[in-house]
Amino acid sequence: MSVKIISNGCTADLEYITIKCRLYYLPREFSSVTLTSLYIHPKADTVVALNIIAYVISEYENRDPDTLSIIAGDFNQANLKTVLPSFKQHVTCPTRGQRTIDHCYCKVKSAYKAIERSGLGTSDYSVVLLILPRKQELKQRTPVERNVTLWPQSAIEELRDCFECTDWSVFGTQCDLDEYPITVTDYLRLCQDVCQPTRKVTHYPNSKP
């Protein structure tokens, strides 16, 4: 994995750093990941701070349209969606008291699920765990019902009795040479369907073949 600092800044309204990461394993639709960590002062001019972030993100997304931009930090009363409406906010739990002032934005809908954790030490901020809402393979696909043919010993004996009681000469006298193999084959299948039991089996995605 390669990491490169592409932008950073510190003003009275905003502190931020933006890095670009190229991961070994990344979905094909993304060429890289652009991470921005920021802090907006509670008394900051939020319009100025958000415009700076919007300019930085837009500039690097224009250079690399396939990058995945993730913006996280302490926004206080600011809301990034006012300047970048295409970004989704993923932190839904309170992060300080009853307020959600720490945000995480990216363009991928439902990219993360936020889980609140207790703060570190005596900090009044909650720790937020962001996890990927990955579904199990068992829940992604619906089970398939199939009819499985069984071969118990009783079915074999019943099928043998059926063949022994059959008058095979009937097929030779009432069928010509072209129809004979087709007629006999259909009769064998009929006997098999009658004598051989079946069972309906539910096949799950995680079932062994």
Side-chain angles (χ1 to χ4, degrees):
M1 180 179 70
S2 63
V3 180
K4 179 182 179 182
I5 298 177
I6 57 178
S7 181
N8 61 82
C10 181
T11 66
D13 301 312
L14 172 69
E15 298 177 20
Y16 77 95
I17 183 172
T18 301
I19 63 175
K20 188 173 186 178
C21 303
R22 295 188 182 275
L23 307 177
Y24 294 116
Y25 301 101
L26 200 63
R28 292 183 178 180
E29 59 266 28
F30 303 120
S31 60
S32 61
V33 178
T34 302
L35 301 173
T36 300
S37 177
L38 60 83
Y39 170 74
I40 298 178
H41 194 274
K43 297 182 180 180
D45 187 337
T46 57
V47 175
V48 174
L50 292 176
N51 284 335
I52 294 175
I53 291 299
Y55 174 79
V56 172
I57 298 301
S58 299
E59 180 183 6
Y60 286 98
E61 283 192 339
N62 290 334
R63 295 182 185 179
D64 187 3
D66 295 328
T67 189
L68 172 63
S69 297
I70 301 176
I71 308 165
D74 188 345
F75 281 78
N76 281 298
Q77 69 272 19
N79 188 345
L80 187 67
K81 291 179 68 66
T82 58
V83 292
L84 295 174
S86 60
F87 280 75
K88 314 298 181 184
Q89 211 285 95
H90 299 288
V91 179
T92 55
C93 56
T95 58
R96 188 180 187 186
Q98 298 300 319
R99 298 188 301 160
T100 303
I101 60 177
D102 296 278
H103 299 174
C104 177
Y105 295 89
C106 75
K107 290 184 177 180
V108 181
K109 185 179 180 181
S110 302
Y112 296 103
K113 179 181 179 181
I115 300 177
E116 184 181 3
R117 293 287 187 261
S118 58
L120 298 176
T122 58
S123 174
D124 57 349
Y125 282 83
S126 299
V127 174
V128 179
L129 174 63
L130 296 175
I131 61 175
L132 299 175
R134 178 182 177 274
K135 291 185 178 180
Q136 298 178 355
E137 185 71 15
L138 182 62
K139 298 179 181 179
Q140 290 181 0
R141 303 178 185 176
T142 56
V144 178
E145 291 186 348
R146 298 175 180 174
N147 290 324
V148 179
T149 303
L150 305 178
W151 276 108
Q153 186 63 31
S154 59
I156 298 176
E157 297 294 336
E158 185 177 354
L159 186 61
R160 182 181 292 113
D161 293 340
C162 181
F163 290 157
E164 291 177 354
C165 297
T166 300
D167 185 3
W168 298 100
S169 61
V170 176
F171 299 101
T173 57
Q174 298 185 3
C175 300
D176 57 25
L177 186 61
D178 294 332
E179 295 179 352
Y180 182 80
I182 299 176
T183 305
V184 173
T185 302
D186 291 341
Y187 176 74
L188 295 177
R189 290 176 179 173
L190 175 63
C191 294
Q192 180 179 344
D193 293 340
V194 172
C195 301
Q196 191 175 24
T198 59
R199 184 177 64 183
K200 185 174 291 185
V201 177
T202 303
H203 183 77
Y204 296 93
N206 62 342
S207 299
K208 295 182 179 180

